[in-house]
Structures are given as C-alpha cells and as structure tokens.
Amino acid sequence: MTRTLNRQQWRKITLACATAVLAVGCTSNEPTSPKPPATTPATTTAAPEPTPSETPADPAETAKNEAISTYLSHWNEAEKRYADKTDKAGDLKKYAAVDALLKVEHDAKDMHKRGLVILGEVTVLNPTAVSADLDRKVPNVVISSCLDVSRWTVTRVKSGEPATDLPKDRLLKYVIKATVEKWPQGWVVIRDEPQGTKC
C-alpha cells in the first residue's frame, strides 16, 4: 500500500532538499550507499624559498666610487673658478681642502691678476682608484687619471682673444694623482699632483 504524502509533508521534503542541495544534492527515497570521498593526491607545499638578499656592497668599492665622484665634482668647480675673473665662482670648499684647494685658489687668482681667464672644459679621463685605506683615522683613496686640458683656452679678458705666448711644449694630456680623504662632512680632495707624464 502506497502512502500518500500530504501538502505539508511535501513542503518539508522540498525545504530539506533545497537547504542541502549545495552539499549533497537532493536524492530519491531509495537508500544509496555512501560514496567514498574523492581522493586527491596529497600535495606538499614547499616552504617559500628565502628571497636572496642583495649582496652587501664592498666598503672599499663604495669608498672608491664616492672618492672618484668627489674628484670629478672638484674639477667641475675648479673649471668655474678659473673662468671667473672675479675669483668667486665655483664651490671649491665643498669638494677640496688643504693643498688642492689652495692650489686652485692661488693659480686662478694669479692668472686673473694678469688679465687672463681659462675658458672651455677640462676632461678627467679614466679616473681609477689605485688604493683605498679605510683603516686609517682619516680614510683615504688615491686616484690616478689622465687630465685632458686640450679644450681649455687661456683667454685675455680685455680682448677676448686666446693668449698666444704660452709654451709650445706644454702637456695638454697628462697623468695626475689625487688623494681624497673622508672628513666628517664627506669626501674631499686634499692633494692633486701632476706627474709630468704624458697620457
């Protein structure tokens, strides 16, 4: 004998199916054997590889690079001073001290007194830090380079004409050795010595 379900019982069954459909689906009244849960291959998640940190900069290489940068800036400022008849241009003291500073100040002033300026540009070729002594009380770096003054023109202020009475055998490209020290305010050029050798 078949049992007839009344409206309220159908409503309960329908509601039960609706709430369970996402999890197991709505099934018939016939008993079913439960399916074993699907097995998926176990996946092992490897721990993330540590991001390789950047190799710390070599202090000696950093010092050499900073010293060379200071040396190039020193010549940029010296160039301005030699070109200014008032002896005011160029922030020399920011990049030079002691002998290097005095040399530029003295030479520029001497030329300006004689009515001369130097126009054009100096080129520092192949600046190379040949040594770095960072263990001293005042760390220093020694730089060797080829100073090219071939585009530097000694000019008479009054006429604006190039000076013609310069030595014919003067070196226009020569080896120069500089000593740069690290002071509290930063790196400064303290010596800049031409070696009298053509390059």
Side-chain angles (χ1 to χ4, degrees):
M1 180 172 137
T2 306
R3 183 178 174 183
T4 305
L5 300 174
N6 63 30
R7 185 175 293 175
Q8 187 174 8
Q9 288 171 321
W10 272 113
R11 197 174 290 163
K12 287 180 182 178
I13 292 171
T14 304
L15 182 61
C17 268
T19 57
V21 73
L22 293 177
V24 294
C26 188
T27 61
S28 67
N29 290 337
E30 294 180 16
T32 57
S33 58
K35 291 182 180 179
T39 58
T40 55
T43 56
T44 55
T45 305
E49 293 273 336
T51 304
S53 59
E54 293 183 7
T55 305
D58 178 5
E61 286 305 310
T62 299
K64 289 176 182 179
N65 292 335
E66 290 174 351
I68 288 173
S69 177
T70 296
Y71 185 62
L72 297 176
S73 297
H74 159 66
W75 268 107
N76 285 337
E77 299 307 309
E79 192 177 276
K80 296 174 189 176
R81 178 60 61 91
Y82 283 114
D84 179 25
K85 64 181 181 180
T86 68
D87 289 314
K88 293 178 181 177
D91 193 359
L92 298 177
K93 292 181 180 178
K94 184 174 181 180
Y95 302 106
V98 197
D99 294 345
L101 174 63
L102 294 175
K103 184 178 188 313
V104 174
E105 288 181 333
H106 177 270
D107 289 353
K109 187 171 289 187
D110 184 57
M111 292 193 72
H112 298 155
K113 281 181 181 177
R114 293 187 286 133
L116 302 170
V117 291
I118 307 182
L119 305 178
E121 61 184 29
V122 177
T123 306
V124 181
L125 301 171
N126 302 318
T128 304
V130 295
S131 69
D133 189 351
L134 307 183
D135 295 327
R136 301 172 73 245
K137 184 176 181 181
V138 180
N140 74 17
V141 171
V142 175
I143 299 168
S144 179
S145 60
C146 178
L147 200 68
D148 180 356
V149 296
S150 60
R151 289 181 288 178
W152 227 11
T153 306
V154 179
T155 306
R156 298 193 182 281
V157 175
K158 287 186 178 179
S159 66
E161 296 292 324
T164 56
D165 55 348
L166 300 173
K168 301 296 181 185
D169 60 348
R170 72 189 190 283
L171 292 176
L172 298 179
K173 291 183 181 180
Y174 54 88
V175 177
I176 191 165
K177 187 175 286 188
T179 302
V180 188
E181 288 187 345
K182 188 169 187 180
W183 289 17
Q185 69 270 30
W187 291 93
V188 290
V189 183
I190 61 164
R191 280 190 298 278
D192 201 19
E193 304 164 312
Q195 303 298 295
T197 306
K198 185 177 179 179
C199 58

